[in-house]
Amino acid sequence: MTESFGRRRKSHAIGPVPAGATVVDIGSGAGTDLLLAAVHVGPAGHAIGVDMTEPMRDRARRGATACALTHVDVREGEATALPVETESVDVVISNGVLNLVAEKQVAIAEIRAS
C-alpha cells in the first residue's frame, strides 16, 4: 500500500466515511484512498475502486490483499460510466480524476445516480 504514497491529499477530510457504508473511489489508481476508505467502512462495508487501467487495478487488488481487506472490490470503468448499481453507493470519493474527465456533466450525473 505504501509504494504509491506521493503527493497525497486528504481525500477523506471533507466528511466522515461511516462504518458499514458503500464507498466508490473514482479513478482509484493504485488504491491508497480506496484502502483507507475500506478501513473506515470496516468489514460490514464495501469499498469499490473504479479505474480504467489494468496495471493500476492490479496494484489496488494487491494492496487490498496485503492489508487483508476482503471487502474491497476493484472494477474496470470510467467516471462517465460507473460500474455500480443505481442508488447503491453511500459515499463517492475521487482524488483529482474528475479534473481529467472531458464530459464532466456526464460524470456528475453518474455520481448522482450511484
Side-chain angles (χ1 to χ4, degrees), residues 28-86:
S28 57
T32 302
D33 292 333
L34 173 65
L35 301 181
L36 290 171
V39 170
H40 284 287
V41 300
H46 193 191
I48 303 167
V50 177
D51 203 274
M52 58 190 289
T53 62
E54 186 173 350
M56 291 293 102
R57 292 191 307 270
D58 289 343
R59 285 179 69 180
R61 287 183 188 111
R62 286 194 308 270
T65 299
C67 294
L69 296 169
T70 58
H71 55 292
V72 171
D73 184 12
V74 182
R75 303 177 183 177
E76 180 178 6
E78 298 183 20
T80 56
L82 293 174
V84 297
E85 296 294 323
T86 301

Side-chain angles (χ1 to χ4, degrees), residues 82-89 110 112-114:
L82 293 174
V84 297
E85 296 294 323
T86 301
E87 297 183 7
S88 65
V89 176
E110 277 292 297
R112 286 186 177 144
S114 66

